[in-house]
Amino acid sequence: MTTETTVIMIFIGTLLIHPVIGENLWVTFAIATILIGTLLLIEYIQMKWDVAEIF
């Protein structure tokens, strides 16, 4: 796992618990979707351009 993957997984775990307590599930789904989309975008960029792996 890369550092980005680990950080996103920790954020998703945290974000899935807090809104469930407050019964605000749509916000949880929206934030999780944004984080997963960001992770996929970062992975795609790293696969296409070797320069991106440096950062």
Side-chain angles (χ1 to χ4, degrees), residues 4 42 44-55:
E4 295 89 6
I42 289 171
Y44 178 76
I45 289 171
Q46 286 180 349
M47 286 176 37
K48 289 295 181 181
W49 296 295
D50 291 332
V51 179
E53 291 182 10
I54 296 171
F55 300 108

Side-chain angles (χ1 to χ4, degrees), residues 18-37:
H18 289 289
V20 170
I21 295 170
E23 298 179 9
N24 197 356
L25 293 176
W26 291 111
V27 172
T28 303
F29 291 138
I31 293 172
T33 303
I34 291 169
L35 290 175
I36 292 170

